[in-house]
Each structure stands twice: as structure tokens, then as C-alpha cells.
Amino acid sequence: MSVLTMQLAGPLQSWGATARFARRTTEHAPTKSGVIGMLAAAQGRERTDDLTDLAALRFGVRVDQPGTRIRDYQTARHFDTAKSMPLSERFYLADAVFVAVVEGDHDLLAGLLEALRKPVFLPYLGRRSCPPSRRIDLRLLPGAHLEEALAQEEWRAAGWYRSRQRRRPTMELETLIEAAPSDGAAGTLRDQPLSFDPRHRSYALRAVRYGTVQVPTGQPRRTAPPDHDPIAALGSD
């Protein structure tokens, strides 16, 4: 087994697990279905393609910067008829940063890392209106395990957020780790992807174990604004 580590950072993110109809909520951390969908899109898979290999990957996430939950109140009209569409509420996480990891077969993860570096479809953080502000790919760790990757990856919070914690030698960060169904301490989320086919999207319950890890705070980063342009990777053709 190996582990692929990713950073998910952007002005806005939205990771829905129970969103329905006109009220589109977000979880406080990335969902497995959202991250698997992003990886499938990077590989160029269509929504109707088989997801069995990706869905079998074990998933975990660390909350490096929780961000702020905000609400957007939206109106719309039908493009052809100009008829008013139902009013909707959409919720987002602003200024959040996460480390997400998937554990599985080394060759499969190596292909996913290459796909993130040269994506076929534009990656986004839960919704198309939420592009990443940093490179998503971090590293591939051969022979590693999910828990140790989350504990050892450096703190990825923004410099301004890190500077507020400069008096602390370590930070306690929340983790959400995929668990066995028999784990009595685990909660559940309906974010295990079965199908992304628009005609019959399907998700199953997944066991999740909540915990924390301690990471060094280090020195606040002083960096220029990122020059990462996710659209540039798509080429001009």
C-alpha cells in the first residue's frame, strides 16, 4: 500500500453530503465523494464510467485551517423560457485549507498523481465555482499508511493564519479517517460514491473515525501570491 497526499485550498470550497433541492449545504471538511470525483475528472473519466477502483481507496482528511461557513442566496431564470427558477441557498467554506489523503495500490496512486499534475478536466473544490488557489498534488509515499501520512505532513495553513498561532509550538488538528464498519467509535457519512451518472447518482454510507493529531507550527510563511493557474494545465487545444 501507498499513500497520495493532496492539499485543498481556495477562496471557497463546498463539500455536500446531504444537500437536496434548493438548500445546498456543505460539510465542514472535504467528502470522499467530492475528492474521488475530482480525481476521476483529472484522469478524464466520464460521469458514466466505472468508479470501482477509485471508490475502493481508503480516504482521510486533516483540517489545517477550518475557514468560515458562509451562505449565498441565489436566484436564476431558465435560459430558454426566462421562467423564474426556485430560489436557493448555497453554503460554502471560505479561506479553508485541508490535507486529504488516499491509501491504496501504488500504481493506481502514481497514475492519479500524474493526472493531478496534468488534469484532463479542470479540478475544483466541491463545486465548479470553487477553483483551487494552490497546487493540489503534494507527494506519493510508497509503503506508507494513511494515519502516519496525516500525522507527518507539514501544517499547510495560510501564512496569516499561522502567524496568529506563532506562540504555540504545536497545533492540534482535527482528522476524519475512513474506518471499518465494525469500529464502534465511528460515525457515518453518506459520501461513499457508487455512481456519478447524472441519471442515477448513488452514494452509500461510510464509517468515519474522528480524531486529532499534533503538528509543529513552524515559522509563518511569507510568500508572494500564488502563480498557480489550474486552467493553464488544460492546454490551448
Side-chain angles (χ1 to χ4, degrees):
M1 290 292 178
S2 297
V3 171
L4 173 63
T5 63
M6 299 163 279
Q7 62 176 339
L8 306 175
L12 293 175
Q13 304 185 39
S14 188
W15 306 97
T18 58
R20 291 293 185 273
F21 307 110
R23 183 177 173 86
R24 303 300 180 91
T25 59
T26 180
E27 298 296 320
H28 77 286
T31 57
K32 182 176 182 179
S33 57
V35 173
I36 292 299
M38 180 185 68
L39 292 172
Q43 285 189 316
R45 300 196 192 194
E46 301 292 338
R47 289 182 179 272
T48 54
D49 289 346
D50 181 57
L51 295 171
T52 304
D53 56 343
L54 297 184
L57 295 171
R58 188 165 173 244
F59 177 69
V61 63
R62 192 181 74 190
V63 182
D64 283 33
Q65 186 174 318
T68 303
R69 191 183 300 265
I70 62 174
R71 183 185 72 164
D72 185 26
Y73 181 72
Q74 294 189 356
T75 63
R77 291 183 179 274
H78 194 280
F79 180 78
D80 294 322
T81 65
K83 181 180 178 180
S84 295
M85 304 294 286
L87 303 179
S88 66
E89 291 180 293
R90 304 200 177 203
F91 293 81
Y92 299 86
L93 299 175
D95 293 327
V97 181
F98 305 97
V99 168
V101 301
V102 287
E103 178 188 275
D105 176 75
H106 179 83
D107 291 339
L108 174 60
L109 296 184
L112 292 174
L113 177 62
E114 183 63 23
L116 287 174
R117 290 173 174 170
K118 297 179 180 179
V120 176
F121 297 121
L122 179 66
Y124 52 86
L125 306 179
R127 292 199 187 125
R128 291 189 182 91
S129 59
C130 302
S133 60
R134 306 180 191 171
R135 294 189 66 90
I136 293 173
D137 59 288
L138 287 178
R139 57 183 58 84
L140 180 60
L141 303 173
H145 294 284
L146 186 149
E147 287 84 357
E148 64 180 305
L150 287 176
Q152 295 174 5
E153 182 62 44
E154 70 172 276
W155 190 28
R156 294 284 172 176
W160 64 266
Y161 186 84
R162 292 164 66 99
S163 66
R164 295 181 178 181
Q165 320 296 335
R166 60 182 178 273
R167 295 175 182 266
R168 300 184 183 184
T170 62
M171 281 290 292
E172 184 176 72
L173 305 179
E174 181 184 5
T175 59
L176 295 80
I177 297 175
E178 188 164 345
S182 59
D183 190 339
T188 58
L189 280 175
R190 190 172 292 278
D191 70 341
Q192 174 66 29
L194 301 178
S195 172
F196 291 140
D197 189 332
R199 297 168 296 180
H200 47 79
R201 291 186 180 92
S202 181
Y203 307 92
L205 287 173
R206 180 175 65 94
V208 178
R209 185 173 70 252
Y210 297 85
T212 59
V213 293
Q214 295 282 345
V215 299
T217 56
Q219 295 296 320
R221 297 179 178 181
R222 297 181 180 273
T223 58
D227 60 359
H228 174 48
D229 179 4
I231 299 177
L234 299 179
S236 57
D237 295 336

PDB file of all heavy atoms in Angstrom, residues 7-25:
ATOM      1  N   GLN A   7      -3.310  18.817  -1.087  1.00  0.00           N
ATOM      2  CA  GLN A   7      -3.763  19.972  -0.327  1.00  0.00           C
ATOM      3  C   GLN A   7      -4.944  20.600  -1.062  1.00  0.00           C
ATOM      4  O   GLN A   7      -4.915  20.771  -2.281  1.00  0.00           O
ATOM      5  CB  GLN A   7      -2.642  20.989  -0.121  1.00  0.00           C
ATOM      6  CG  GLN A   7      -2.066  21.595  -1.376  1.00  0.00           C
ATOM      7  CD  GLN A   7      -1.021  22.659  -1.088  1.00  0.00           C
ATOM      8  OE1 GLN A   7      -0.974  23.225   0.004  1.00  0.00           O
ATOM      9  NE2 GLN A   7      -0.174  22.930  -2.060  1.00  0.00           N
ATOM     10  N   LEU A   8      -5.968  20.930  -0.310  1.00  0.00           N
ATOM     11  CA  LEU A   8      -7.185  21.515  -0.859  1.00  0.00           C
ATOM     12  C   LEU A   8      -7.361  22.888  -0.243  1.00  0.00           C
ATOM     13  O   LEU A   8      -7.752  23.029   0.915  1.00  0.00           O
ATOM     14  CB  LEU A   8      -8.392  20.611  -0.546  1.00  0.00           C
ATOM     15  CG  LEU A   8      -8.240  19.149  -0.993  1.00  0.00           C
ATOM     16  CD1 LEU A   8      -9.429  18.327  -0.525  1.00  0.00           C
ATOM     17  CD2 LEU A   8      -8.060  19.044  -2.502  1.00  0.00           C
ATOM     18  N   ALA A   9      -7.023  23.916  -1.022  1.00  0.00           N
ATOM     19  CA  ALA A   9      -7.067  25.291  -0.545  1.00  0.00           C
ATOM     20  C   ALA A   9      -7.651  26.174  -1.630  1.00  0.00           C
ATOM     21  O   ALA A   9      -7.334  26.014  -2.811  1.00  0.00           O
ATOM     22  CB  ALA A   9      -5.664  25.784  -0.165  1.00  0.00           C
ATOM     23  N   GLY A  10      -8.499  27.116  -1.233  1.00  0.00           N
ATOM     24  CA  GLY A  10      -9.092  28.031  -2.199  1.00  0.00           C
ATOM     25  C   GLY A  10      -9.943  29.066  -1.491  1.00  0.00           C
ATOM     26  O   GLY A  10     -10.275  28.907  -0.317  1.00  0.00           O
ATOM     27  N   PRO A  11     -10.303  30.143  -2.191  1.00  0.00           N
ATOM     28  CA  PRO A  11     -11.167  31.158  -1.578  1.00  0.00           C
ATOM     29  C   PRO A  11     -12.483  30.575  -1.076  1.00  0.00           C
ATOM     30  O   PRO A  11     -12.978  30.954  -0.027  1.00  0.00           O
ATOM     31  CB  PRO A  11     -11.399  32.161  -2.722  1.00  0.00           C
ATOM     32  CG  PRO A  11     -10.250  31.947  -3.654  1.00  0.00           C
ATOM     33  CD  PRO A  11      -9.924  30.497  -3.574  1.00  0.00           C
ATOM     34  N   LEU A  12     -13.052  29.628  -1.860  1.00  0.00           N
ATOM     35  CA  LEU A  12     -14.297  28.976  -1.482  1.00  0.00           C
ATOM     36  C   LEU A  12     -14.189  27.483  -1.756  1.00  0.00           C
ATOM     37  O   LEU A  12     -13.573  27.060  -2.726  1.00  0.00           O
ATOM     38  CB  LEU A  12     -15.485  29.546  -2.267  1.00  0.00           C
ATOM     39  CG  LEU A  12     -15.891  30.997  -2.012  1.00  0.00           C
ATOM     40  CD1 LEU A  12     -17.009  31.396  -2.968  1.00  0.00           C
ATOM     41  CD2 LEU A  12     -16.327  31.200  -0.569  1.00  0.00           C
ATOM     42  N   GLN A  13     -14.801  26.700  -0.876  1.00  0.00           N
ATOM     43  CA  GLN A  13     -14.958  25.270  -1.074  1.00  0.00           C
ATOM     44  C   GLN A  13     -16.374  24.895  -0.639  1.00  0.00           C
ATOM     45  O   GLN A  13     -16.980  25.577   0.188  1.00  0.00           O
ATOM     46  CB  GLN A  13     -13.952  24.467  -0.241  1.00  0.00           C
ATOM     47  CG  GLN A  13     -12.505  24.839  -0.496  1.00  0.00           C
ATOM     48  CD  GLN A  13     -11.523  23.949   0.242  1.00  0.00           C
ATOM     49  OE1 GLN A  13     -11.701  22.735   0.355  1.00  0.00           O
ATOM     50  NE2 GLN A  13     -10.446  24.554   0.744  1.00  0.00           N
ATOM     51  N   SER A  14     -16.894  23.805  -1.180  1.00  0.00           N
ATOM     52  CA  SER A  14     -18.212  23.331  -0.758  1.00  0.00           C
ATOM     53  C   SER A  14     -18.275  21.831  -0.957  1.00  0.00           C
ATOM     54  O   SER A  14     -18.114  21.339  -2.084  1.00  0.00           O
ATOM     55  CB  SER A  14     -19.324  24.023  -1.552  1.00  0.00           C
ATOM     56  OG  SER A  14     -20.590  23.696  -1.016  1.00  0.00           O
ATOM     57  N   TRP A  15     -18.499  21.097   0.131  1.00  0.00           N
ATOM     58  CA  TRP A  15     -18.455  19.642   0.114  1.00  0.00           C
ATOM     59  C   TRP A  15     -19.773  19.099   0.666  1.00  0.00           C
ATOM     60  O   TRP A  15     -19.915  18.871   1.853  1.00  0.00           O
ATOM     61  CB  TRP A  15     -17.269  19.140   0.937  1.00  0.00           C
ATOM     62  CG  TRP A  15     -15.966  19.740   0.518  1.00  0.00           C
ATOM     63  CD1 TRP A  15     -15.321  20.805   1.087  1.00  0.00           C
ATOM     64  CD2 TRP A  15     -15.139  19.323  -0.582  1.00  0.00           C
ATOM     65  NE1 TRP A  15     -14.149  21.071   0.430  1.00  0.00           N
ATOM     66  CE2 TRP A  15     -14.016  20.184  -0.608  1.00  0.00           C
ATOM     67  CE3 TRP A  15     -15.240  18.307  -1.536  1.00  0.00           C
ATOM     68  CZ2 TRP A  15     -12.998  20.054  -1.550  1.00  0.00           C
ATOM     69  CZ3 TRP A  15     -14.232  18.189  -2.478  1.00  0.00           C
ATOM     70  CH2 TRP A  15     -13.124  19.038  -2.479  1.00  0.00           C
ATOM     71  N   GLY A  16     -20.723  18.920  -0.213  1.00  0.00           N
ATOM     72  CA  GLY A  16     -22.046  18.470   0.204  1.00  0.00           C
ATOM     73  C   GLY A  16     -22.126  16.962   0.341  1.00  0.00           C
ATOM     74  O   GLY A  16     -21.586  16.223  -0.477  1.00  0.00           O
ATOM     75  N   ALA A  17     -22.829  16.507   1.397  1.00  0.00           N
ATOM     76  CA  ALA A  17     -23.084  15.082   1.585  1.00  0.00           C
ATOM     77  C   ALA A  17     -24.582  14.796   1.703  1.00  0.00           C
ATOM     78  O   ALA A  17     -25.017  13.688   1.422  1.00  0.00           O
ATOM     79  CB  ALA A  17     -22.365  14.559   2.834  1.00  0.00           C
ATOM     80  N   THR A  18     -25.361  15.804   2.106  1.00  0.00           N
ATOM     81  CA  THR A  18     -26.800  15.601   2.280  1.00  0.00           C
ATOM     82  C   THR A  18     -27.604  16.690   1.589  1.00  0.00           C
ATOM     83  O   THR A  18     -28.778  16.872   1.876  1.00  0.00           O
ATOM     84  CB  THR A  18     -27.167  15.590   3.776  1.00  0.00           C
ATOM     85  OG1 THR A  18     -26.752  16.823   4.380  1.00  0.00           O
ATOM     86  CG2 THR A  18     -26.496  14.428   4.493  1.00  0.00           C
ATOM     87  N   ALA A  19     -26.981  17.452   0.675  1.00  0.00           N
ATOM     88  CA  ALA A  19     -27.671  18.560   0.018  1.00  0.00           C
ATOM     89  C   ALA A  19     -28.828  18.048  -0.832  1.00  0.00           C
ATOM     90  O   ALA A  19     -28.698  17.064  -1.561  1.00  0.00           O
ATOM     91  CB  ALA A  19     -26.697  19.356  -0.839  1.00  0.00           C
ATOM     92  N   ARG A  20     -29.967  18.737  -0.748  1.00  0.00           N
ATOM     93  CA  ARG A  20     -31.134  18.355  -1.520  1.00  0.00           C
ATOM     94  C   ARG A  20     -31.864  19.601  -2.003  1.00  0.00           C
ATOM     95  O   ARG A  20     -31.987  20.592  -1.277  1.00  0.00           O
ATOM     96  CB  ARG A  20     -32.098  17.510  -0.678  1.00  0.00           C
ATOM     97  CG  ARG A  20     -31.595  16.114  -0.321  1.00  0.00           C
ATOM     98  CD  ARG A  20     -31.468  15.220  -1.549  1.00  0.00           C
ATOM     99  NE  ARG A  20     -31.106  13.859  -1.190  1.00  0.00           N
ATOM    100  CZ  ARG A  20     -29.871  13.439  -1.040  1.00  0.00           C
ATOM    101  NH1 ARG A  20     -28.874  14.295  -1.193  1.00  0.00           N
ATOM    102  NH2 ARG A  20     -29.614  12.179  -0.731  1.00  0.00           N
ATOM    103  N   PHE A  21     -32.344  19.554  -3.219  1.00  0.00           N
ATOM    104  CA  PHE A  21     -33.239  20.549  -3.769  1.00  0.00           C
ATOM    105  C   PHE A  21     -32.634  21.948  -3.692  1.00  0.00           C
ATOM    106  O   PHE A  21     -31.539  22.172  -4.158  1.00  0.00           O
ATOM    107  CB  PHE A  21     -34.616  20.456  -3.095  1.00  0.00           C
ATOM    108  CG  PHE A  21     -35.189  19.073  -3.137  1.00  0.00           C
ATOM    109  CD1 PHE A  21     -35.298  18.304  -1.992  1.00  0.00           C
ATOM    110  CD2 PHE A  21     -35.581  18.515  -4.350  1.00  0.00           C
ATOM    111  CE1 PHE A  21     -35.805  17.015  -2.046  1.00  0.00           C
ATOM    112  CE2 PHE A  21     -36.087  17.220  -4.419  1.00  0.00           C
ATOM    113  CZ  PHE A  21     -36.201  16.475  -3.258  1.00  0.00           C
ATOM    114  N   ALA A  22     -33.362  22.916  -3.075  1.00  0.00           N
ATOM    115  CA  ALA A  22     -32.933  24.310  -3.126  1.00  0.00           C
ATOM    116  C   ALA A  22     -31.983  24.696  -1.991  1.00  0.00           C
ATOM    117  O   ALA A  22     -31.503  25.825  -1.950  1.00  0.00           O
ATOM    118  CB  ALA A  22     -34.148  25.227  -3.091  1.00  0.00           C
ATOM    119  N   ARG A  23     -31.700  23.793  -1.081  1.00  0.00           N
ATOM    120  CA  ARG A  23     -30.789  24.087   0.031  1.00  0.00           C
ATOM    121  C   ARG A  23     -29.560  23.193  -0.114  1.00  0.00           C
ATOM    122  O   ARG A  23     -29.636  21.982   0.108  1.00  0.00           O
ATOM    123  CB  ARG A  23     -31.476  23.850   1.366  1.00  0.00           C
ATOM    124  CG  ARG A  23     -30.613  24.207   2.578  1.00  0.00           C
ATOM    125  CD  ARG A  23     -31.405  24.016   3.876  1.00  0.00           C
ATOM    126  NE  ARG A  23     -30.585  24.180   5.047  1.00  0.00           N
ATOM    127  CZ  ARG A  23     -30.322  25.346   5.631  1.00  0.00           C
ATOM    128  NH1 ARG A  23     -30.837  26.454   5.121  1.00  0.00           N
ATOM    129  NH2 ARG A  23     -29.566  25.421   6.704  1.00  0.00           N
ATOM    130  N   ARG A  24     -28.439  23.784  -0.495  1.00  0.00           N
ATOM    131  CA  ARG A  24     -27.208  23.042  -0.754  1.00  0.00           C
ATOM    132  C   ARG A  24     -26.206  23.344   0.352  1.00  0.00           C
ATOM    133  O   ARG A  24     -25.559  24.398   0.346  1.00  0.00           O
ATOM    134  CB  ARG A  24     -26.647  23.410  -2.122  1.00  0.00           C
ATOM    135  CG  ARG A  24     -27.614  23.169  -3.288  1.00  0.00           C
ATOM    136  CD  ARG A  24     -28.010  21.709  -3.384  1.00  0.00           C
ATOM    137  NE  ARG A  24     -28.915  21.458  -4.486  1.00  0.00           N
ATOM    138  CZ  ARG A  24     -28.541  21.124  -5.712  1.00  0.00           C
ATOM    139  NH1 ARG A  24     -27.259  21.049  -6.008  1.00  0.00           N
ATOM    140  NH2 ARG A  24     -29.450  20.878  -6.641  1.00  0.00           N
ATOM    141  N   THR A  25     -26.108  22.447   1.287  1.00  0.00           N
ATOM    142  CA  THR A  25     -25.235  22.649   2.442  1.00  0.00           C
ATOM    143  C   THR A  25     -23.816  22.176   2.134  1.00  0.00           C
ATOM    144  O   THR A  25     -23.535  21.628   1.065  1.00  0.00           O
ATOM    145  CB  THR A  25     -25.783  21.884   3.654  1.00  0.00           C
ATOM    146  OG1 THR A  25     -25.867  20.487   3.323  1.00  0.00           O
ATOM    147  CG2 THR A  25     -27.165  22.396   4.030  1.00  0.00           C
TER     148      THR A  25
END
